[in-house]
């Protein structure tokens, strides 16, 4: 399951993506618009800034902005940064591999083989989905919502 921290990170990136090329946004504005607890958001934004995804400016007119175009920030990058492994089992993780304690022989493990396929399918989507793509998807979905 996607953690709240990762979901909040993605929501903040989407808002900053819609604001890309404009003045930095203050934490309070991001927190209010996306309904994210301010203290929690501060930690998330700091983590993303330290990883180079965001730029921050202090003082008057300060705040956060994307350090690269929304087309160049992918869900797989965000998820790994915030939560670590994407794979559902440690023995199939590409970047955080760990053998399973109870496994006798990985090479012939049906569970591992199946969850390797799951990881590959999930990674295909996450590696291909940028923040810009999510922003565009929301616009498309909004076009299909009937007016009341």
């Amino acid at each position: 399951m996607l953690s709240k921290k990762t979901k909040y990170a993605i929501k903040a990136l989407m808002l900053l993506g819609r604001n890309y090329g404009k003045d930095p946004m203050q934490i309070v504005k991001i927190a209010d618009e996306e309904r994210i607890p301010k203290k929690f958001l501060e930690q998330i934004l700091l983590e993303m800034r330290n990883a180079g995804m965001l730029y921050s400016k202090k003082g008057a007119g300060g705040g956060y902005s994307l350090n690269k175009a929304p087309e160049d920030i992918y869900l797989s990058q965000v998820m790994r940064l915030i939560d670590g492994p994407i794979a559902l089992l440690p023995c199939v993780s590409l970047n955080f591999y760990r053998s399973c304690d109870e496994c006798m022989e990985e090479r012939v493990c049906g569970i591992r083989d199946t969850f390797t396929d799951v990881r590959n399918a999930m990674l295909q989507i996450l590696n291909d989905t940028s923040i810009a793509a999510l922003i565009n998807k929301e616009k498309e979905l909004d076009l299909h919502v009937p007016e009341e």
Side-chain angles (χ1 to χ4, degrees):
M1 196 181 302
L2 193 65
S3 73
K4 265 199 191 261
K5 187 176 180 184
T6 298
K7 187 174 182 182
Y8 288 160
I10 294 168
K11 287 172 68 78
L13 287 169
M14 288 176 68
L15 180 58
L16 292 169
R18 288 189 292 272
N19 197 57
Y20 186 66
K22 299 176 186 169
D23 290 338
M25 294 186 75
Q26 294 181 333
I27 290 176
V28 174
K29 184 168 175 58
I30 299 169
D32 287 346
E33 285 194 34
E34 295 300 331
R35 297 187 187 139
I36 302 171
K38 185 178 172 281
K39 284 287 183 196
F40 198 24
L41 181 61
E42 286 174 352
Q43 297 169 358
I44 295 167
L45 295 177
L46 184 62
E47 211 170 316
M48 291 192 295
R49 188 201 71 188
N50 290 342
M53 281 184 192
L54 300 179
Y55 166 80
S56 67
K57 180 181 175 189
K58 292 183 180 181
Y64 282 89
S65 56
L66 295 183
N67 210 18
K68 46 186 165 178
E71 295 82 15
D72 297 327
I73 301 172
Y74 294 91
L75 290 182
S76 57
Q77 297 167 318
V78 179
M79 289 177 68
R80 281 188 177 118
L81 173 67
I82 303 299
D83 279 339
I86 290 172
L88 299 175
L89 293 173
C91 64
V92 300
S93 179
L94 294 174
N95 298 317
F96 301 90
Y97 171 84
R98 220 178 60 246
S99 63
C100 296
D101 296 335
E102 64 283 349
C103 192
M104 300 302 278
E105 184 62 49
E106 278 184 2
R107 190 172 56 76
V108 294
C109 178
I111 297 169
R112 181 177 193 271
D113 189 62
T114 299
F115 280 88
T116 297
D117 293 342
V118 170
R119 179 211 59 209
N120 291 341
M122 207 161 65
L123 270 179
Q124 179 72 51
I125 295 166
L126 297 174
N127 283 333
D128 290 344
T129 306
S130 67
I131 295 301
L134 286 179
I135 293 167
N136 290 332
K137 184 175 282 286
E138 278 194 354
K139 288 178 188 171
E140 288 173 24
L141 291 169
D142 192 41
L143 291 174
H144 296 93
V145 174
E147 301 223 4
E148 293 180 27

